[in-house]
Amino acid sequence: MFAESEILSRTGGREVAEIAFDTETIAARVAELGREITHHYREGELLVVGLLKGSFIFMSDLVRAILRPHQVDFLVAASYGHGTTSSGSVRLLYDPETSLTGRHILLVEDIVDSGTTLNRLVRLLRERGPRSLEICALLHKRLAPQLELEPRFVGFDAPALFLVGYGLDHAEDFRHLPFIASLKV
Ligand code: PRP
């Protein structure tokens, strides 16, 4: 729990409407996800690929909760710009350096909103010939009409609100908040 004054200090005075997922709730669910993922991948090489920037905090907690060997890499895409709704287009700015061929790939997303980002990335990653491809999303709004691949691992179903914190931003602000919240408009 955080005092209101501490939250305002972190946000620079911007008021939080509601904390959707608090620090303790997130930590407990991430630990469970780590166990689910560990159990799922019994053998083979596992590469955990985080989609930047939104997944950076989730990734750092999640990989420490996966109790089997794996490697880590990242992808950079951009879809939102500075607005609060999806623009529908995805730009790929960085591809993983590591080969994906023949390895189990676990793509890690902070949030599935319209599904545009994931659909584009799933097509691209499948072309690299992975042994398997699965998605782990911390938040899933369940609004996407058609996903190329449903996330196998989901932290929480998320409300249809614009959420910030724990990696999620609004115009690059608020990623550092240690909880996930909606902002007062
Ligand atoms: C956000 C978020 C997801 C994506 C979800 O990324 O982190 O990757 O949008 O939206 P969609 O399901 O409608 O495609 P953004 O492009 O804002 O970049 P960021 O990760 O750097 O914040």
Side-chain angles (χ1 to χ4, degrees), residues 160-176:
L161 297 169
F162 195 86
L163 298 170
V164 298
Y166 200 70
L168 287 87
D169 74 309
H170 176 237
E172 297 302 330
D173 289 325
F174 313 116
R175 292 194 197 271
H176 63 296

Side-chain angles (χ1 to χ4, degrees), residues 119-155:
N119 282 344
R120 168 82 187 272
L121 292 176
V122 162
R123 275 179 232 129
L124 181 136
L125 294 176
R126 277 188 175 139
E127 287 170 6
R128 310 280 170 91
R131 178 168 169 183
S132 71
L133 176 63
E134 300 291 356
I135 295 161
C136 176
L138 178 64
L139 303 172
H140 194 340
K141 286 193 175 174
R142 309 221 180 254
L143 299 173
Q146 205 171 4
L147 285 177
E148 290 270 334
L149 179 64
E150 262 306 322
R152 178 176 284 267
F153 309 99
V154 175

Side-chain angles (χ1 to χ4, degrees), residues 51-55 77-81 86 90 109-118 167-169 172 175:
L51 178 59
L52 292 175
K53 298 178 207 172
S55 74
S79 64
Y80 272 17
S86 174
V90 177
E109 255 283 37
D110 53 345
I111 186 164
V112 184
D113 193 336
S114 71
T116 308
T117 308
L118 270 189
L168 287 87
D169 74 309
E172 297 302 330
R175 292 194 197 271

Side-chain angles (χ1 to χ4, degrees), residues 35-142:
R35 287 193 287 272
E36 287 174 30
I37 291 164
T38 304
H39 182 77
H40 179 76
Y41 294 102
R42 295 302 181 101
E43 42 88 40
E45 284 183 44
L46 173 63
L47 176 65
V48 181
V49 180
L51 178 59
L52 292 175
K53 298 178 207 172
S55 74
F56 81 104
I57 295 178
F58 179 38
M59 269 291 277
S60 71
D61 286 342
L62 184 68
V63 296
R64 285 178 287 176
I66 298 175
L67 308 176
R68 57 100 75 206
H70 62 283
Q71 293 187 352
V72 173
D73 209 330
F74 292 93
L75 267 177
V76 183
S79 64
Y80 272 17
H82 292 291
T84 54
T85 56
S86 174
S87 67
S89 64
V90 177
R91 284 184 298 140
L92 264 194
L93 308 174
Y94 171 78
D95 258 352
E97 295 277 346
T98 337
S99 169
L100 309 189
T101 311
R103 309 170 82 185
H104 295 298
I105 306 302
L106 180 64
L107 178 63
V108 175
E109 255 283 37
D110 53 345
I111 186 164
V112 184
D113 193 336
S114 71
T116 308
T117 308
L118 270 189
N119 282 344
R120 168 82 187 272
L121 292 176
V122 162
R123 275 179 232 129
L124 181 136
L125 294 176
R126 277 188 175 139
E127 287 170 6
R128 310 280 170 91
R131 178 168 169 183
S132 71
L133 176 63
E134 300 291 356
I135 295 161
C136 176
L138 178 64
L139 303 172
H140 194 340
K141 286 193 175 174
R142 309 221 180 254

